[in-house]
C-alpha cells in the first residue's frame, strides 16, 4: 500500500492524500461505511458505489468469522468475491465485538476465549488466528488484534492492557510477515494505539506503534463514551507522534462534528455505524442540519430530503413520504435514510478534502460544525 | 380508460391487450406488484421502474386511509405525488383488509364499522366513503367496495353477501359518477364478481357485474384457500360471461402456475403479495424453478441467483451470498429477493404476452407450469 500526501492545511493539521491499494485508490480524508456481516445494512452494492460514492467499506472480522465462516469465504475467494464489492475493504480485528457482543469471555496473554452471541458456541481469538482470519477474508487493510479498553478505565488496567496490546502487535506482525495473501493481491496491516485517555500512556503507545513502521496507523479506544474534548486531546497528541507520511485512522468515529474535528487534528480515515444505525431510527444528517424524521412536523413536508446534497434518494423522495415510511416501520424507510446518511458522510469528507486542497479548511470547518449539527 | 385487444390465443382464452390510463399504457396480461402502504416492501421506486419493469402497482386503501391518511395524501396531490410513482396505480377497496386485519367489525347493509389494527381506533367504510377515499388517493383504477367471503362459505351466506355486494356496487357507481377526480386526471371504477365457489352464484354475479358496463371487471373471493381446481373453474365460468372487450382482473392471484392458468382462462390482470412476502422468507421464483435459499445446499453456491432472468440483482449477487444475508436476517437479503421475485413475475407475464402474440401460448404454458414450479 502507498500513501501520498497531496496537501496540508496551513491553519490546522488537516491533510489531503491518496492511498493506493490492490483494489483501487482512496482519496483521503475518507469515511468508510460499515458493512458488518459483508453488507452495509439496507444498501445495495450498486448504491454504495454509484449513489454514495464510497471508496472503501469496512467488514467486521468477528461477524464474518461466525457467518458465513472462513470455509465459505475461502471457497468464494475472499469477501470481495463473496459480496461483489470490488473496491478496497478494511477489516477490524474482531476484538471490539468480542468485548462488546460476545457472551462469557476470558482475556489472557495468549488470546481471548469467547462465546458466540448467535448460538453460544465457544471460540478462540489470538493475534495469530486473527491474522489468519483476515487473510481468509482478504481485506486490503487488516487491523492488529488489540484490547479496546472501556471508558472510564482504571490507570493500572489501561497500562497493563496497552502493554499487552503492544505484545500482541508484535505477534500480529510476526504472523502477518510470515504468511502470504491467499488471493494473489497485497494486504497490509495497521497497528492500533491504545492507552485510554491517559496522556502518558497515549504518548507511549503512539511511540511504540510508530516504531513498528507499518503502512498506516490507527487510533483505538476512543469514542467509547468519553467527553469529546478528551477524544480530541488524545487524538491531537497521538497524531503529533504518528508519522506524517502514513495514513491515520480514528476508529469508530463519529458525528459529522467529530469527523471534521478529527480531520483538523490530522486524521485521514474514519468509520462509524452512526449514519446507518441512526438512519434506521429516523435520524438524518443533512447539509442543513440534523432531522428527526419521525417528528410530526415533517408529515406534510413535500420538499426533498436534501436538495442541496443531490443524489437519487435525497432528491427523489420527500421528507413527508420518508416520515410516513419510518413511522410505519417500512423497510424502504431504513433503505432511503441509510443511503441518504451515507451519501451525506461521503459528501462531507469530499468537501473537507476540497477545502484542504484549497487551503481554506479551518474557517470552513468552524462554520460547518455549527451549521451541520443544528437541529431542524 | 381504454382497452384494446391485440391478439387472442387460438388454443386457449388467453389474450394480449393494451390498457391506456392517464399515467400511461399497460401491456396485458400484467402482474401488479403490491405496494400496501404506498411502498412495495423493500424496493426503491427506481428499482420498480428500471429493474422490475413494473407497469402498474397496487395500493391498499385500508392502509393508506389509516396512514398517512387522506389529509396528507390530499396535500401532496394524491398517492402518485406522495410516493413518486408516476405510472398507473390501482387501489383495492379496503374491504379485504377490513375483514382480514381489522379488529372487531360489524358488517351491515349501510357499511362496515371496524377497529384499526394499529391503534384500535373506530372507523366506518361504506360504498360511498370508499369511493371518496379512492378519489383522495387518486388511483387510476379504483375498486368497488365488496364483501370477500371466506372459503369454505355456506351457500346462504354466499348468496346474501353477493346480493349485498351487488347493491353496494350500485351505490359505488352512483357515488363515482356523481363525483370528479381531485387531481385533474381521469379515474375509472372496476366492479367485482363474488359468489364463492358456487357456480350458479358466480354466473349470476358475473351477469350482474357485466350489466354495469364499467371499463373493466374483477373476479374477487378466490385464492382464499379453495383448491386450485375450484379457482380455475370459477374463473373460467366468469370469464365466459364477462365482456371480451374489457380487461379482467383476478384479485390476489397467485403462484406462477396460477397466473399462467389464469391467463389461459382469459384473465388480463393479477396482483399478489406472494413474490414479496415469500422473498422475505427466502423463497425465490426463478426461470429454472423454486428455490428455498435458506437451505444449506446453497451456502457455497457461487452462481448468480438467476442468470437467465437478467437484471442487476439476479445476475450480480450469488446464491451463496443471498443465502448468507437471509440466514443472518440482513435487510439486504429481503431487498435482493424482493426485487428478484418481482422481476421474475414481470418477466413471466411478458413472456406469456409474447407467446400469445405469436399464437404459441398454450403449449408454452403447459411446459412452463411444470418447469417453473419444480423445487431446486
Amino acid at each position: 500500500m502507498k500513501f501520498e500526501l497531496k496537501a496540508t492545511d496551513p491553519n490546522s493539521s488537516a491533510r489531503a492524500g491518496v492511498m493506493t491499494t490492490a483494489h483501487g485508490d482512496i482519496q483521503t480524508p475518507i469515511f468508510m461505511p460499515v458493512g458488518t456481516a459483508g453488507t452495509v445494512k439496507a444498501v445495495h452494492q450498486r448504491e454504495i458505489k454509484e449513489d454514495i460514492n464510497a471508496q472503501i467499506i469496512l467488514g467486521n472480522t468477528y461477524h464474518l468469522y461466525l457467518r458465513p465462516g472462513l470455509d465459505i469465504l475461502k471457497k468464494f475467494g475472499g469477501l470481495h468475491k463473496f459480496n461483489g464489492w470490488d473496491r478496497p475493504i478494511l477489516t477490524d480485528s474482531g476484538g471490539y465485538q468480542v468485548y462488546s457482543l460476545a457472551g462469557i469471555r476470558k482475556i489472557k496473554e495468549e488470546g481471548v476465549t469467547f462465546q458466540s452471541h448467535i448460538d453460544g458456541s465457544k471460540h478462540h481469538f489470538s493475534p495469530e488466528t486473527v491474522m489468519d482470519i483476515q487473510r481468509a477474508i482478504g481485506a486490503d487493510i487488516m487491523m492488529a488484534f488489540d484490547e479496546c479498553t472501556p471508558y472510564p478505565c482504571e490507570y493500572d488496567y489501561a497500562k497493563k492492557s496497552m502493554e499487552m496490546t503492544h505484545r500482541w502487535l508484535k505477534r500480529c506482525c510476526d504472523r502477518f510477515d510470515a504468511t502470504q495473501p491467499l488471493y494473489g493481491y497485497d494486504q497490509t496491516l495497521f497497528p492500533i494505539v491504545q492507552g485510554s485517555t491517559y496522556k502518558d500512556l497515549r504518548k507511549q503507545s503512539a511511540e511504540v506503534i510508530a516504531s513498528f513502521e507499518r503502512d498506516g496507523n490507527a487510533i483505538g479506544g476512543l469514542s467509547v463514551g468519553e467527553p469529546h474534548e478528551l477524544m480530541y486531546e488524545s487524538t491531537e497528541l497521538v497524531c503529533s507522534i504518528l508519522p506524517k507520511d502514513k495514513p491515520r485512522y480514528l476508529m469508530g468515529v463519529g458525528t459529522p462534528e467529530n469527523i471534521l474535528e478529527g480531520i483538523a487534528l490530522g486524521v485521514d480515515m474514519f468509520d462509524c455505524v452512526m449514519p446507518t444505525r441512526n438512519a434506521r431510527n429516523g435520524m438524518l444528517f443533512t447539509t442543513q442540519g440534523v432531522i428527526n424524521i419521525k417528528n410530526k412536523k415533517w408529515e406534510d413536508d413535500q420538499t426533498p430530503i436534501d436538495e442541496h446534497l443531490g443524489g437519487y434518494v435525497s432528491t427523489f423522495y420527500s421528507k413527508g413520504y420518508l416520515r410516513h415510511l419510518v413511522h410505519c416501520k417500512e423497510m424502504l424507510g431504513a433503505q432511503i435514510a441509510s443511503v441518504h446518511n451515507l451519501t451525506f458522510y461521503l459528501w462531507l469528507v469530499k468537501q473537507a478534502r476540497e477545502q484542504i486542497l484549497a487551503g481554506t479548511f479551518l474557517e470552513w470547518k468552524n462554520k460547518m460544525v455549527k451549521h451541520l449539527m443544528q437541529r431542524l
Side-chain angles (χ1 to χ4, degrees), chain A residues 63-320:
Chain A
H63 289 91
L64 293 165
Y65 161 81
L66 291 176
R67 293 188 304 202
L70 303 188
D71 285 350
I72 291 173
L73 286 169
K74 282 181 188 167
K75 274 187 192 166
F76 272 81
L79 180 58
H80 290 88
K81 291 280 195 299
F82 184 62
N83 70 2
W85 176 256
D86 58 6
R87 290 183 184 173
I89 295 176
L90 178 148
T91 40
D92 66 3
S93 70
Y96 186 81
Q97 278 74 29
V98 166
Y99 310 126
S100 62
L101 277 185
I104 303 159
R105 61 195 181 273
K106 274 193 183 168
I107 307 175
K108 294 185 178 176
E109 182 69 26
E110 202 282 317
V112 182
T113 306
F114 62 94
Q115 283 189 309
S116 158
H117 72 292
I118 301 163
D119 63 5
S121 56
K122 266 198 170 178
H123 302 272
H124 182 73
F125 275 1
S126 72
E128 291 79 14
T129 62
V130 162
M131 291 301 101
D132 295 347
I133 295 168
Q134 292 182 85
R135 286 285 194 203
I137 295 171
D140 298 273
I141 302 173
M142 297 165 43
M143 299 303 299
F145 192 54
D146 63 341
E147 185 183 4
C148 177
T149 50
Y151 178 85
C153 180
E154 294 284 333
Y155 182 87
D156 278 359
Y157 189 91
K159 185 168 191 292
K160 280 181 185 160
S161 168
M162 177 197 76
E163 288 165 352
M164 186 177 71
T165 285
H166 295 166
R167 290 190 297 273
W168 281 3
L169 174 59
K170 176 71 170 64
R171 290 166 55 191
C172 284
C173 291
D174 287 349
R175 184 63 153 232
F176 180 88
D177 294 337
T179 55
Q180 291 294 319
L182 301 186
Y183 311 118
Y185 56 83
D186 279 344
Q187 300 178 274
T188 191
L189 171 66
F190 282 16
I192 303 170
V193 175
Q194 289 290 348
S196 187
T197 49
Y198 302 105
K199 288 191 178 177
D200 62 322
L201 299 185
R202 282 284 170 188
K203 179 172 180 291
Q204 189 188 337
S205 187
E207 286 166 354
V208 169
I209 265 58
S211 75
F212 277 83
E213 297 187 345
R214 308 303 304 194
D215 288 338
N217 300 290
I219 310 169
L222 294 177
S223 198
V224 292
E226 77 283 2
H228 285 174
E229 282 316 311
L230 286 184
M231 175 168 77
Y232 298 146
E233 280 174 22
S234 293
T235 301
E236 185 170 19
L237 171 64
V238 170
C239 284
S240 74
I241 298 166
L242 292 178
K244 282 190 168 24
D245 60 348
K246 290 174 183 176
R248 301 161 182 156
Y249 164 28
L250 182 55
M251 304 180 77
V253 172
T255 65
E257 176 177 4
N258 295 156
I259 286 175
L260 292 183
E261 297 296 355
I263 291 172
L265 298 172
V267 175
D268 308 294
M269 303 163 69
F270 302 86
D271 81 283
C272 192
V273 294
M274 186 174 280
T276 40
R277 181 176 291 168
N278 288 19
R280 297 196 296 278
N281 293 320
M283 184 177 166
L284 306 180
F285 298 100
T286 81
T287 58
Q288 308 305 304
V290 177
I291 286 176
N292 181 351
I293 201 70
K294 284 182 176 171
N295 285 347
K296 195 172 167 61
K297 66 183 281 195
W298 305 112
E299 71 174 0
D300 60 358
D301 193 315
Q302 298 180 44
T303 63
I305 296 169
D306 191 347
E307 59 193 327
H308 301 284
L309 183 61
Y312 170 66
V313 309
S314 310
T315 57
F316 181 82
Y317 297 108
S318 67
K319 296 187 185 80

